[in-house]
Amino acid sequence: AQSVSQHNHHVILSEAASLELGCNYSYGGTVNLFWYVQYPGQHLQLLLKYFSGDPLVKGIKGFEAEFIKSKFSFNLRKPSVQWSDTAEYFCAAGSDSGGYQKVTFGTGTKLQVIP
Amino acid sequence: DGGITQSPKYLFRKEGQNVTLSCEQNLNHDAMYWYRQDPGQGLRLIYYSQIVNDFQKGDIAEGYSVSREKKESFPLTVTSAQKNPTAFYLCASSLRGDRKNEQFFGPGTRLTVL
């Protein structure tokens, strides 16, 4: 069965520090990868997605993620975080399951940025 | 304004009662989903529907039921058979039900069973 692992449950950083959140998936077939973000009091929304092509994907607000197929990883990065990046981040993997889309979410990483 | 609405935002019910959570979308999306979000467990799929009058069980469907009579609506009923119903419930939709389509989420309903 497909699974998505997020290694860090809670990350605390100072403003301007660099961020890397780990994500690994277990599915061996064709997979699409997503990072979603949930800001306090707001809807879950898409940050970035990978379907094919360039493994380095750029998203909104200066975030990027790199797909490394050999490592089954899709880590999220940002060179310099801001207080407004405080949120919960979810990695997700979409794959085919008997003709239906199946999207599996990780357990989430809470990021707290200290001014 | 296109989007997904869920109502109510907070819901309280007594143990043993069934309760229905509303989810409406005006994005003209074919696929709709229900997730349950618990602290430290991420989002777990309850039910999903790719098209009107069709739906499939997700990973944790026991104690829940759904219907999809209209394209824009996908209500979730939490039955008395659900052993631990207190949770945050999220509804989502996507243009189509394939793995490439991003999902759009509603604001969620926090259900507390007393």
Side-chain angles (χ1 to χ4, degrees):
Chain A
Q2 177 173 282
S3 66
V4 175
S5 300
Q6 292 184 243
H7 316 299
N8 315 101
H9 298 294
H10 197 181
V11 173
I12 301 173
L13 294 173
S14 298
E15 273 192 318
S18 64
L19 170 72
E20 181 160 4
L21 301 182
C23 173
N24 287 90
Y25 63 95
S26 66
Y27 188 66
T30 302
V31 66
N32 300 123
L33 298 161
F34 307 83
W35 275 98
Y36 286 86
V37 61
Q38 191 172 32
Y39 296 104
Q42 294 189 27
H43 299 200
L44 204 68
Q45 59 185 282
L46 184 71
L47 200 54
L48 48 79
K49 60 187 177 185
Y50 171 79
F51 289 161
S52 62
D54 189 346
L56 186 62
V57 179
K58 295 196 183 295
I60 60 172
K61 303 186 180 184
F63 286 91
E64 63 179 29
E66 185 175 12
F67 170 56
I68 303 179
K69 190 174 182 179
S70 61
K71 294 185 178 180
F72 295 88
S73 70
F74 190 55
N75 292 356
L76 181 71
R77 301 195 294 246
K78 186 171 183 178
S80 175
V81 294
Q82 300 172 317
W83 176 79
S84 59
D85 293 325
T86 294
E88 190 161 16
Y89 294 82
F90 293 91
C91 182
S95 63
D96 292 321
S97 175
Y100 295 102
Q101 179 194 37
K102 181 174 173 61
V103 176
T104 302
F105 284 81
T107 53
T109 298
K110 286 189 177 177
L111 172 64
Q112 185 178 356
V113 180
I114 301 170
Chain B
D1 233 1
I4 301 175
T5 56
Q6 291 185 245
S7 61
K9 189 172 182 179
Y10 299 97
L11 191 55
F12 296 88
R13 278 295 181 269
K14 290 184 179 179
E15 195 172 339
Q17 289 181 333
N18 291 356
V19 60
T20 297
L21 281 58
S22 165
C23 177
E24 304 277 331
Q25 54 99 358
N26 61 4
L27 301 167
N28 201 32
H29 284 174
D30 285 332
M32 296 187 75
Y33 313 83
W34 274 106
Y35 293 92
R36 172 180 170 140
Q37 186 178 10
D38 296 287
Q41 297 196 55
L43 277 68
R44 292 182 291 168
L45 183 64
I46 304 172
Y47 267 98
Y48 61 104
S49 167
Q50 288 204 322
I51 198 167
V52 174
N53 292 323
D54 183 51
F55 49 83
Q56 289 77 40
K57 292 182 179 180
D59 298 320
I60 55 166
E62 186 176 348
Y64 299 98
S65 66
V66 294
S67 63
R68 186 88 189 274
E69 297 175 3
K70 298 187 294 182
K71 187 175 184 177
E72 59 270 22
S73 178
F74 192 41
L76 173 75
T77 297
V78 184
T79 74
S80 56
Q82 167 51 232
K83 294 178 183 176
N84 186 19
T86 294
F88 187 57
Y89 291 89
L90 282 170
C91 179
S93 72
S94 63
L95 185 61
R96 276 176 289 281
D98 63 55
R99 56 180 165 80
K100 289 188 176 182
N101 281 262
E102 71 174 275
Q103 295 184 17
F104 294 80
F105 287 83
T109 292
R110 188 166 298 278
L111 172 66
T112 302
V113 176
L114 306 170

